Amino acid sequence: ERAMGSIAIRAEMLGKRYRIGAPRVRHRTLREAIMSAAAAPLRNLGRLRGLTSFEGDTGGDTIWALRDFSFEAREGEVVGIIGRNGAGKSTLLRLAKGVETPTRGRVARGGEVALLLQNPGDFLIHEHAVEDAGPGGVVAAGLAGREQANPRDLSGGERQRLALEVVLAGGPYAAVLLDEPTRGMDRAHKDRLAGRIEELAEANAAVMVATHDTEFAASFAERIVLLGQGPTLDQIANRR
């Protein structure tokens, strides 16, 4: 059994509320933001997703994506986050990373945090795979021999694996957050991803994976968090 380290992420009474029907920003994409501000590619993520934070009074057309949520994840721990659409899984990861500001509550981080978003195209901005991930990243993604491939020509699962290596290139990290990382992957590549998650945990990173794939979550997670509507939260104790 792997020993747990210091706290990598701690959230206290975390809440995030959005205004419904906020105007979409159409003149700029996250890809363009990454290219023009490579040092901080995710800073404007909340604005680009077309939902606006609402921190005024409690009335009006607003919705709580996450409410009154407290948790902590320790270095070396692997946590699966499951729940239906709209339960707040992606919101939780963005708040944990710090690309969005909570409406209330606070997040403390024990070090650098990496976040893989659902859309791998947000991270694959060059014409060749090796330009995005480097030679080692291409190999780690299982794409050896395809260094010159255009990421747009890869399958969904291949793009997802390559994007993960792009995200991890800046490590080491206190925590690694993955949002629906198995999209487009077959069983063999899911197993390979589970192995990669284990490697990250062995390197002392807390790994939090938001997924609809409960079978996949059960295959790797030491702890499962079931995220529900509003404040509803059940945590299933460590299985190992």
Side-chain angles (χ1 to χ4, degrees):
E1 182 177 351
R2 187 172 51 247
M4 299 298 104
S6 302
I7 293 174
I9 296 179
R10 173 184 284 145
E12 298 176 355
M13 295 301 291
L14 198 61
K16 183 64 177 181
R17 185 173 57 189
Y18 294 103
R19 180 186 298 119
I20 300 172
R24 290 186 176 273
V25 176
R26 300 181 181 277
H27 65 280
R28 195 175 187 189
T29 66
L30 183 56
R31 177 185 291 271
E32 292 169 347
I34 293 174
M35 296 178 69
S36 65
L42 302 177
R43 186 172 297 161
N44 295 322
L45 176 62
R47 177 171 60 83
L48 296 173
R49 289 182 66 85
L51 288 175
T52 302
S53 299
F54 184 82
E55 302 190 18
D57 58 53
T58 58
D61 295 329
T62 64
I63 185 171
W64 285 97
L66 194 70
R67 184 165 54 190
D68 299 336
F69 179 82
S70 298
F71 82 101
E72 63 182 38
R74 292 184 173 272
E75 294 174 350
E77 185 178 18
V78 182
V79 182
I81 303 168
I82 62 176
R84 64 181 183 274
N85 287 335
K89 301 186 299 298
S90 296
T91 299
L92 170 60
L93 295 189
R94 293 197 299 272
L95 292 171
K97 165 64 176 174
V99 297
E100 291 195 23
T101 303
T103 305
R104 66 188 185 200
R106 64 186 295 270
V107 179
R109 304 170 188 87
E112 294 296 318
V113 177
L115 170 62
L116 176 65
L117 299 170
Q118 291 188 30
N119 182 11
D122 290 338
F123 303 94
L124 306 177
I125 61 176
H126 294 100
E127 293 298 317
H128 303 106
V130 69
E131 295 178 84
D132 283 316
V138 172
V139 173
L143 298 172
R146 304 184 65 185
E147 288 82 1
Q148 300 304 312
N150 190 314
R152 291 189 294 273
D153 296 331
L154 300 176
S155 70
E158 290 170 340
R159 285 161 56 84
Q160 198 74 2
R161 300 200 308 273
L162 187 64
L164 174 59
E165 297 307 323
V166 173
V167 168
L168 295 178
Y173 293 102
V176 177
L177 317 178
L178 309 179
D179 195 356
E180 297 293 349
T182 62
R183 181 175 296 180
M185 289 188 187
D186 59 21
R187 178 60 182 270
H189 285 115
K190 288 181 182 181
D191 290 343
R192 183 168 184 165
L193 176 61
R196 190 74 172 97
I197 289 171
E198 182 68 20
E199 291 175 0
L200 292 169
E202 291 290 347
N204 217 31
V207 185
M208 298 175 60
V209 182
T211 180
H212 285 93
D213 191 336
T214 55
E215 182 180 356
F216 176 69
S219 73
F220 71 83
E222 297 163 336
R223 180 159 57 100
I224 300 290
V225 173
L226 175 60
L227 203 55
Q229 187 69 31
T232 302
L233 174 67
D234 295 315
Q235 297 197 38
I236 302 173
N238 287 2
R239 301 183 299 110
R240 300 181 184 177

